[in-house]
Amino acid sequence: MPTASGAAPRPHRARAEIDLGALRANVRSLRARASGAELMAVVKSDAYGHGAVRCGRAAREAGASWLGTATPEEALALRAAGDRGRIMAWLWTPGGPWREAIEADIDVSASGRWALDEIVAAARACGRTARVQLKADTGLGRNGCQPADWPGLVAAARSAEAEGALKVTGVWSHFACADEPGHPSIAAQLRRFHEALDVAARAGLDPEVRHHANSPATLTLPEAHFDLVRTGVSVYGLSPSPELGTPADLGLRPVMTLSASIALVKNTPGGHGVGYGHTYRTPGETTLALVPLGYADGIPRHASGTGPVLVAGKWRTIAGRVAMDQFVVDLGGDAARVGEEAVLFGPGDRGEPTAEDWARAAGTIGYEIVTRISTRVPRVYRDPEHEPGGDAEPGPGE
Ligand SMILES: *Cc1c(COP(=O)(O)O)cnc(C)c1O
């Protein structure tokens, strides 16, 4: 297919095609379900492997008023790439970098006094007012401030606010079991969140945004939407859990399609061992096709013998072990051409498997399947609204 510039596309070993039109449609669909709350597109870990800068920009265009990252480095990289909107980073360790984040107008997060103290010191050092969001542990038991320590954290934040060192812009928390509708922890977490909000209000804090919902809560729990929803996996078109339905059931479309060029096709006799450990033997005379992707590319080694791939019009199963750079599929005597496309996963409408099929095959979740695709696989962006024909970009880190 000709590209916009008319040049022939580069032949590829493998590629992860990123459909930015689907991403925008997912953001619009999520916003429509968010009861008027603002939407934060979570772009941590390079947008779950999809490319944070391109996906962040597309999400903004579709109405995401916030971008969310785990680490401050991820947030600073978005600023360096020119993003001017609200950005929040929530996973901090001693040393920050607080000052760089404050100077870049990133909303930082504090789950305990040590973080608040470092934020106040950094804000004083650079003469700026830090934007701080306080995180309550309403029951997840991971990051966040325990209820017993919350009044102390809130009081310290309020006095730093009075002094001008910071502004508390948000109070927030995170669910443990939102992907299991009706789980008793959900109501308990919401109750504790309301209590945490009451404590903050009584101490004189007036945060701009209160937020608790990830993708599953955005999709199933309107009473958790508050002022802002933080959607990650659903922005990339995956269902947070098969129990909640397929992406199509939820109004979503998978954004990533992972494919590779068949590197070799050969006839082999029956009884031939395949790959390390010979965990697969050809049951009879057959054709084997070599797929040039391995665990260094993020293909789970746990999918050895189980991972599905569309080759020559049919689902095939990985024969033997996934190696670092390659694996083999048994075509059962069918023909395939060298250079023909093998599709590992995508939206599913060309008959290919989905990330959810891979999650099942590897005993994991769709989140991990897309996020682990490594920088050795180039991301190729399809953007019907901006660049008909799509363009290739080097993979992140290349
Ligand atoms: C990753 C993450 C999210 C997004 O979760 P999804 O289930 O992918 O929507 C939201 N909030 C926090 C704190 C996160 O770490």
Side-chain angles (χ1 to χ4, degrees):
M1 189 201 303
T3 61
S5 63
R10 269 193 301 148
H12 63 279
R13 170 185 72 103
R15 64 158 100 194
E17 190 174 296
I18 308 299
D19 179 354
L20 293 174
L23 185 143
R24 287 195 197 87
N26 293 335
V27 169
R28 289 191 197 105
S29 158
L30 290 162
R31 283 194 72 206
R33 284 170 171 259
S35 343
E38 291 185 64
L39 184 137
M40 174 189 289
V42 177
V43 295
K44 64 190 179 187
S45 195
D46 210 26
Y48 294 41
H50 295 67
V53 169
R54 296 292 297 262
C55 291
R57 204 181 297 151
R60 292 278 196 213
E61 289 163 1
S65 45
W66 290 76
L67 299 182
T69 70
T71 71
E73 289 79 10
E74 292 170 329
L76 289 166
L78 292 167
R79 275 284 183 262
D83 191 282
R84 303 264 65 90
R86 296 298 287 274
I87 302 177
M88 173 182 179
W90 51 73
L91 189 57
W92 294 85
T93 45
W98 302 108
R99 182 170 175 163
E100 290 83 341
I102 294 165
E103 288 177 339
D105 276 330
I106 289 160
D107 280 55
V108 304
S109 179
S111 291
R113 284 298 294 274
W114 75 263
L116 202 65
D117 293 346
E118 290 200 7
I119 292 164
V120 169
R124 282 185 189 139
C126 65
R128 298 276 293 263
T129 301
R131 286 207 277 244
V132 183
Q133 304 216 14
L134 301 179
K135 183 171 193 189
D137 181 358
T138 56
L140 174 60
R142 199 175 67 179
N143 213 348
C145 180
Q146 276 287 302
D149 302 323
W150 182 250
L153 183 67
V154 160
R158 179 66 197 120
S159 77
E161 197 174 66
E163 178 205 311
L166 60 83
K167 165 82 184 106
V168 175
T169 51
V171 171
W172 71 291
S173 190
H174 194 40
F175 281 113
C177 308
D179 55 346
E180 298 174 52
H183 192 286
S185 68
I186 294 172
Q189 285 199 256
L190 282 175
R191 187 166 24 78
R192 284 189 216 110
F193 190 54
H194 282 287
E195 287 162 11
L197 290 171
D198 287 345
V199 169
R202 281 200 300 274
L205 296 181
D206 182 24
E208 251 174 86
V209 284
R210 304 158 300 153
H211 47 112
H212 207 306
N214 52 3
S215 291
T218 302
L219 292 164
T220 65
L221 205 63
E223 63 269 39
H225 290 168
F226 297 95
D227 305 309
L228 175 67
V229 296
R230 303 186 308 273
T231 48
V233 82
S234 53
V235 167
Y236 310 105
L238 302 187
S239 168
S241 147
E243 283 67 49
L244 298 185
T246 65
D249 295 338
L250 300 170
L252 304 171
R253 178 169 173 81
V255 170
M256 183 188 290
T257 297
L258 181 66
S259 63
S261 286
I262 299 288
L264 185 69
V265 179
K266 61 188 175 189
N267 298 316
T268 47
H272 204 299
V274 176
Y276 292 131
H278 278 180
T279 57
Y280 182 80
R281 265 182 203 283
T282 54
E285 193 181 333
T286 190
T287 31
L288 298 179
L290 181 65
V291 179
L293 280 169
Y295 61 76
D297 300 294
I299 307 306
R301 192 166 176 276
H302 270 95
S304 294
T306 59
V309 187
L310 181 69
V311 181
K314 288 190 201 158
W315 279 34
R316 322 286 176 167
T317 303
I318 295 180
R321 286 196 185 141
V322 174
M324 186 181 291
D325 315 301
Q326 39 194 313
F327 64 80
V328 170
V329 293
D330 187 340
L331 302 183
D334 291 352
R337 281 179 297 104
V338 167
E340 182 167 339
E341 191 179 44
V343 187
L344 283 76
F345 59 80
D349 44 12
R350 286 190 293 157
E352 75 279 17
T354 63
E356 189 50 48
D357 293 317
W358 273 81
R360 211 173 304 113
T364 182
I365 53 177
Y367 292 71
E368 189 182 358
I369 295 297
V370 292
T371 303
R372 60 184 291 144
I373 300 307
S374 79
T375 57
R376 194 165 71 171
V377 178
R379 272 56 173 176
V380 178
Y381 292 91
R382 291 265 160 232
D383 195 349
E385 286 176 32
H386 292 302
E387 309 142 24
D391 64 340
E393 277 208 350
E398 279 187 15

